[in-house]
Amino acid sequence: MFQRQGFSPEEMIGLIACGHTIGGVRSSDHPDIVPPGTDPEVPNFELFDSTPRQFDSAVVTEFLEGKSVNALVTTPNVTLQADRRIFESDGGATMRRLADPEVFNSTCGSLLERMLDLVPAGVNLEEVSLLAVKASDALLTIERGQLVFKVALRLLQPIGTSVNSKRVVTLLWCDRYGSAKGCDGHAKSSLPASKAADQPDVSPVTMRMGYYFAHYRFVVPINPDESISQFWFTVDEADGTTPTTYDNNGNAYPVDQDNVLYVAEKGSVSLSGTTSTSRAFHLVSAVRSSVSPSQVYMSVFDSAMPKYEAPLNQDITMSLNTSIPAAAGYVFYSGHIEDFGAQLTVDMHATIDGTTYTADYMQTYSLDTTIPYTPPTTVTQVDVSPPGSQKNSAALSLSRNFIIMDIGLGLGLLALYLGLLVL
């Protein structure tokens, strides 16, 4: 990936070191790297170096001295020690050179300027604007034998103010099947399974803008006979004002299908082959037991591979896995792939009566026991109508389009190169 943009292996090391002189990794984003704490409302945050507010060479010198606090170096899971592999990829020669503060600053200045100059001529980077409200991480899946829907709502909070402890954030949704299909007669609702607020200095970008984030994460049980077709949110500040509805501009957010699901809980990954970067993935999908698919397969893709080989991009047939008992109205299929990269994503497909259904752009960095389990919350029936017709929706899809870069036209390219940098 770096070579395609004109950077050498040594310059890749420099860009990662320059990017990781600030920021860190949050447990809420990568629980497989930074374990959550005892309080689910306070995410753990591990910095890349001991001077998070200074653009300096500490991330380099601490690594060379064996004193690194960088979670991508120190995590017990060798597979996830991405920075360690990069920093050691040339025997540490580049890192030893970057330990000189003057060399570090001049190198970073040159490399970051070159990176930003990759933006095509005629493209103007505008001022960064934040989405005041963002829905993300929407997923219909099976956990511990139960069909669940998971989604998060992120709200902007001015620095210097506290999150309203009386605020009530509610998830509402419509059934896909049954007597209340499309919210005919009633909808369903639930409160968050967890709440969390970032520290104001978690990102130098948002801190400079004067904001931090409050997160409301939902895990709701879904009746397989009713399923879910669309959802939206309400936020009541409990201050006498009318609650605010966030419904994708009146269209509601659609759940486009439920015939095939990605089931990360049943998947696994292990080191394999002769190199420490080769990983064997066992991936699992769930297909409704009431349908008869003519084909179940997965499309796997990884854009970050060593030795500049072509990206991993292929379809793999999945087989019915009878060793996993059917659950929640679904049967399970599994497939295997070996990957040398670090950013494997997968689309799960099932072709049913000539139509192919897809759960697309599923992430593989959390599989099996690395996924913290959150019990589903209580469901309440409410007499409200859906905010709009999903047929007319220009909505964000359940998976791929929920991944929106909201802090960054200017830093979007930086995030592409610097992997797990938390902004």
Side-chain angles (χ1 to χ4, degrees), residues 135-158:
S136 63
D137 303 327
L139 180 67
L140 184 63
T141 190
I142 294 174
E143 290 185 344
R144 300 196 178 184
Q146 185 174 23
L147 183 64
V148 296
F149 179 66
K150 307 170 76 171
V151 69
L153 185 70
R154 191 212 67 194
L155 301 177
L156 215 56
Q157 187 74 27

Side-chain angles (χ1 to χ4, degrees), residues 242-324:
T242 302
T244 303
T245 298
Y246 297 105
D247 57 7
N248 197 30
N249 296 321
N251 294 304
Y253 300 102
V255 180
D256 50 7
Q257 62 88 33
D258 66 347
N259 284 304
V260 59
L261 311 177
Y262 174 58
V263 186
E265 181 192 72
K266 300 295 184 183
S268 63
V269 60
S270 60
L271 295 178
S272 67
T274 59
T275 70
S276 62
T277 57
S278 176
R279 294 175 296 163
F281 286 88
H282 171 77
L283 301 175
V284 176
S285 66
V287 177
R288 274 194 166 269
S289 55
S290 59
V291 302
S292 299
S294 58
Q295 184 182 21
V296 178
Y297 64 102
M298 60 182 178
S299 300
V300 293
F301 179 80
D302 197 321
S303 61
M305 303 193 58
K307 300 180 181 178
Y308 318 113
E309 302 170 11
L312 176 64
N313 188 7
Q314 65 186 94
D315 291 342
I316 298 173
T317 298
M318 305 186 76
S319 302
L320 182 65
N321 191 334
T322 56
S323 67
I324 306 176

Side-chain angles (χ1 to χ4, degrees), residues 80-354:
L80 301 175
Q81 292 178 357
D83 279 10
R84 178 183 293 279
R85 286 197 296 274
I86 291 171
F87 293 161
E88 294 177 345
S89 60
D90 66 348
T94 298
M95 292 292 278
R96 288 191 292 272
R97 184 172 57 84
L98 292 174
D100 184 315
E102 292 186 5
V103 173
F104 182 85
N105 287 333
S106 63
T107 300
C108 291
S110 174
L111 289 176
L112 293 175
E113 181 179 18
R114 278 181 54 197
M115 185 189 68
L116 293 173
D117 285 344
L118 291 173
V119 177
V123 174
N124 296 316
L125 298 180
E126 300 175 353
E127 289 295 321
V128 174
S129 60
L130 291 176
L131 295 176
V133 178
K134 177 186 173 184
S136 63
D137 303 327
L139 180 67
L140 184 63
T141 190
I142 294 174
E143 290 185 344
R144 300 196 178 184
Q146 185 174 23
L147 183 64
V148 296
F149 179 66
K150 307 170 76 171
V151 69
L153 185 70
R154 191 212 67 194
L155 301 177
L156 215 56
Q157 187 74 27
I159 289 178
T161 66
S162 300
V163 177
N164 182 359
S165 61
K166 297 181 180 180
R167 174 187 290 163
V168 178
V169 181
T170 305
L171 169 70
L172 300 103
W173 68 95
C174 297
D175 295 344
R176 181 180 294 273
Y177 313 113
S179 60
K181 174 182 177 181
C183 288
D184 183 9
H186 65 262
K188 292 186 172 73
S189 71
S190 187
L191 297 177
S194 67
K195 297 178 285 185
D198 291 338
Q199 295 297 318
D201 61 351
V202 71
S203 162
V205 178
T206 51
M207 187 174 184
R208 194 166 186 174
M209 292 181 171
Y211 294 100
Y212 66 102
F213 297 132
H215 305 270
Y216 299 84
R217 296 182 175 86
F218 297 84
V219 181
V220 298
I222 300 294
N223 184 332
D225 295 328
E226 298 168 342
S227 193
I228 177 174
S229 61
Q230 56 183 334
F231 64 96
W232 65 100
F233 306 89
T234 61
V235 178
D236 185 356
E237 299 292 350
D239 58 1
T241 60
T242 302
T244 303
T245 298
Y246 297 105
D247 57 7
N248 197 30
N249 296 321
N251 294 304
Y253 300 102
V255 180
D256 50 7
Q257 62 88 33
D258 66 347
N259 284 304
V260 59
L261 311 177
Y262 174 58
V263 186
E265 181 192 72
K266 300 295 184 183
S268 63
V269 60
S270 60
L271 295 178
S272 67
T274 59
T275 70
S276 62
T277 57
S278 176
R279 294 175 296 163
F281 286 88
H282 171 77
L283 301 175
V284 176
S285 66
V287 177
R288 274 194 166 269
S289 55
S290 59
V291 302
S292 299
S294 58
Q295 184 182 21
V296 178
Y297 64 102
M298 60 182 178
S299 300
V300 293
F301 179 80
D302 197 321
S303 61
M305 303 193 58
K307 300 180 181 178
Y308 318 113
E309 302 170 11
L312 176 64
N313 188 7
Q314 65 186 94
D315 291 342
I316 298 173
T317 298
M318 305 186 76
S319 302
L320 182 65
N321 191 334
T322 56
S323 67
I324 306 176
Y330 287 81
V331 293
F332 297 93
Y333 288 73
S334 61
H336 304 268
I337 182 66
E338 186 167 315
D339 181 31
F340 291 87
Q343 300 178 15
L344 182 69
T345 59
V346 59
D347 298 345
M348 296 297 186
H349 309 283
T351 301
I352 303 166
D353 296 331

Side-chain angles (χ1 to χ4, degrees), residues 26-34 36 77 80 139 141 143 150 262-269 279 281-284 342 344 346 362-372:
R26 279 190 303 245
S27 61
S28 54
D29 297 322
H30 298 284
D32 46 348
I33 298 174
V34 179
N77 188 331
L80 301 175
L139 180 67
T141 190
E143 290 185 344
K150 307 170 76 171
Y262 174 58
V263 186
E265 181 192 72
K266 300 295 184 183
S268 63
V269 60
R279 294 175 296 163
F281 286 88
H282 171 77
L283 301 175
V284 176
L344 182 69
V346 59
M362 299 291 104
Q363 305 298 313
T364 61
Y365 50 74
S366 291
L367 292 172
D368 194 17
T369 57
T370 63
I371 304 173

